[in-house]
Amino acid sequence: MKILYLTKYTRMAGSSRMRSYQYFPYLERSGMKITVKPFFDDDYLKDFYAGKKNISTVIKSYLRRFLVLFSVLKYNKVVIEKEIFPFIPAVAEWILKLFGIRYIVDYDDAIFHNYDQSSNPIIKKFLGNKIANVMRYSGIVIAGNHYLAEYAWRSGAKKIEIIPTVIDLDRYPIKANLDSEKFIVGWIGTKTTFEKHLLPCKNWVKELQSQDPNIQFNIVGIREDMDLGKNVKYIQWREKTEVSEILKMDVGIMPLQDSEWEKGKCAYKLIQYAACGIPGVASDVGMNKDVCIDNVTGQIAYEDQDWIDHILFLKNNSLQKKEMGNNARQLVEQKYCIQVTADKWCKILSK
């Protein structure tokens, strides 16, 4: 069976790497032949992460994707990550439907809010229902959480499956609870998510350091000093070292702004922490509370003082921290690992 994956990015981007690329070895072992055609290439991503805009790489991306569409009839199944063409009506998806191609479309965030909540009135008017149409034209919608699944249902999707964003247990060992001088509070992400979600936490991050000088923040994915305090270490993200950096953490945090967009997030940071047996402290937004179960696998923070109190509690209560970490790992083993979800993908693609 030949499968065409139309991903949004190469494996350099976390969303495509976790939602698509990590499954390819499992699918190939089951006898499927995978062809992947990303929309954006590595050059685009390098510019994007560096805060640069390169119009020529964007134009090339649209042309490359257009040419790929002429080959779709050669494949038994087509899997689309989010949409075929960003910021263009769902004409390509409609044409696939006309040709009887019951494509599978996968979502790990609320991309529809790029359109229906756009500040640009033209985008909002002409593309507000775009993703609803993509979902309705599809054979199956794969949703990373219930919020996304509910949108698919309201859009008239014929079939909906919930598959969370997961990790590979073979890559995530359990942290050895060794005594160390510093208590490491960790965060991992991109500059974009840092600026939106962690930077607004600057006040309590600095306050926590002043209350306890033995607390250190490790910020993975940011290289330059962002003025979060003296006890902050900024660490460049690399795929090869991300797990080893997480294993240095004692607590992992995931603050989120409370908005409709964040309700579509799949709590991937928390799943990464939990896979290593590290409890999380997280905002009460979206899927966070499904992974960071309050006082079971971590603690939920509702306001600034909660973050300080919860982190100090976990620092000063090692037995409770260890128990929450063990519970978190068990949760990942049960629900949030590729060892569980790979079979589900194989069954969907084999039908």
Side-chain angles (χ1 to χ4, degrees):
M1 177 176 280
K2 296 193 294 184
I3 313 293
L4 174 63
Y5 265 82
L6 298 178
T7 62
K8 187 169 185 177
Y9 304 108
T10 63
R11 67 172 294 114
M12 184 183 290
S15 58
S16 294
R17 187 171 62 253
M18 295 300 104
R19 297 298 295 186
S20 299
Y21 287 85
Q22 72 166 334
Y23 284 98
F24 295 163
Y26 290 86
L27 300 178
E28 288 169 344
R29 283 198 293 270
S30 72
M32 299 178 192
K33 184 177 180 181
I34 305 299
T35 299
V36 57
K37 299 291 184 178
F39 186 84
F40 291 117
D41 59 16
D42 285 348
D43 289 337
Y44 170 86
L45 286 169
K46 289 174 184 176
D47 288 338
F48 178 78
Y49 291 144
K52 301 176 184 177
K53 292 183 179 180
N54 189 329
I55 299 300
S56 65
T57 59
V58 174
I59 294 172
K60 288 177 183 177
S61 298
Y62 279 88
L63 290 174
R64 188 167 53 242
R65 176 58 60 85
F66 177 74
L67 294 175
V68 167
L69 293 180
F70 289 97
S71 68
V72 295
L73 293 176
K74 298 191 304 183
Y75 299 92
N76 302 104
K77 292 287 174 67
V78 177
V79 181
I80 300 169
E81 184 185 329
K82 300 180 176 70
E83 57 191 336
I84 294 178
F85 292 108
F87 290 95
I88 288 181
V91 176
E93 291 87 353
W94 177 71
I95 292 173
L96 292 187
K97 180 191 174 188
L98 286 183
F99 276 89
I101 299 173
R102 295 171 59 80
Y103 61 83
I104 300 164
V105 64
D106 181 40
Y107 296 94
D108 67 340
D109 60 36
I111 186 177
F112 39 86
H113 290 322
N114 281 341
Y115 302 123
D116 63 16
Q117 292 187 4
S118 174
S119 58
N120 185 320
I122 297 175
I123 291 175
K124 191 171 184 177
K125 180 177 180 179
F126 291 101
L127 296 176
N129 292 322
K130 181 204 172 167
I131 299 302
N133 290 332
V134 174
M135 291 177 168
R136 187 165 59 254
Y137 299 152
S138 72
I140 305 175
V141 174
I142 308 297
N145 60 38
H146 289 282
Y147 181 77
L148 302 175
E150 288 171 6
Y151 183 88
W153 177 79
R154 294 196 305 271
S155 300
K158 301 173 188 67
K159 187 175 181 181
I160 304 164
E161 295 280 356
I162 297 178
I163 301 180
T165 302
V166 298
I167 55 86
D168 185 345
L169 287 175
D170 294 337
R171 292 188 62 234
Y172 285 77
I174 300 173
K175 176 184 173 68
N177 287 289
L178 303 175
D179 291 331
S180 61
E181 183 178 341
K182 291 288 185 180
F183 184 85
I184 306 298
V185 178
W187 179 92
I188 186 169
T190 65
K191 186 175 181 180
T192 301
T193 54
F194 172 86
E195 290 174 346
K196 186 173 184 180
H197 301 298
L198 188 57
L199 193 57
C201 301
K202 180 188 291 189
N203 289 341
W204 70 255
V205 169
K206 286 187 171 182
E207 175 61 25
L208 186 56
Q209 293 171 66
S210 67
Q211 289 190 26
D212 192 331
N214 289 324
I215 289 177
Q216 175 180 305
F217 284 83
N218 281 9
I219 310 300
V220 182
I222 303 297
R223 287 182 288 179
E224 65 268 30
D225 190 330
M226 303 300 286
D227 189 32
L228 289 182
K230 294 181 179 179
N231 292 351
V232 179
K233 185 177 181 182
Y234 300 95
I235 302 163
Q236 182 176 358
W237 178 89
R238 292 186 178 90
E239 184 178 356
K240 292 182 179 179
T241 59
E242 68 171 344
V243 176
S244 62
E245 293 297 343
I246 291 172
L247 287 167
K248 296 174 185 177
M249 303 174 186
D250 293 292
V251 173
I253 59 173
M254 188 171 176
L256 285 179
Q257 300 298 309
D258 191 0
S259 74
E260 294 299 307
W261 175 268
E262 273 63 49
K263 290 177 182 177
K265 293 289 185 183
C266 291
Y268 183 62
K269 293 178 180 60
L270 292 172
I271 293 169
Q272 287 184 289
Y273 308 146
C276 293
I278 297 168
V281 178
S283 303
D284 182 26
V285 177
M287 191 178 161
N288 275 10
K289 54 192 173 186
D290 295 335
V291 179
C292 186
I293 303 170
D294 203 21
N295 293 315
V296 177
T297 62
Q299 294 187 307
I300 294 294
Y302 299 93
E303 54 188 32
D304 285 2
Q305 188 60 43
D306 292 339
W307 293 94
I308 295 172
D309 293 343
H310 292 337
I311 291 170
L312 287 175
F313 173 83
L314 291 168
K315 178 180 183 292
N316 297 323
N317 294 273
S318 58
L319 290 178
Q320 287 92 332
K321 178 172 77 70
K322 183 177 180 180
E323 181 180 0
M324 289 183 194
N326 290 339
N327 293 340
R329 170 70 182 202
Q330 290 174 17
L331 181 66
V332 171
E333 291 174 353
Q334 294 165 7
K335 297 178 66 175
Y336 300 112
C337 63
I338 198 170
Q339 285 75 9
V340 172
T341 57
D343 285 343
K344 195 168 186 179
W345 262 112
C346 287
K347 290 176 182 177
I348 290 170
L349 291 170
S350 297
K351 291 180 180 178

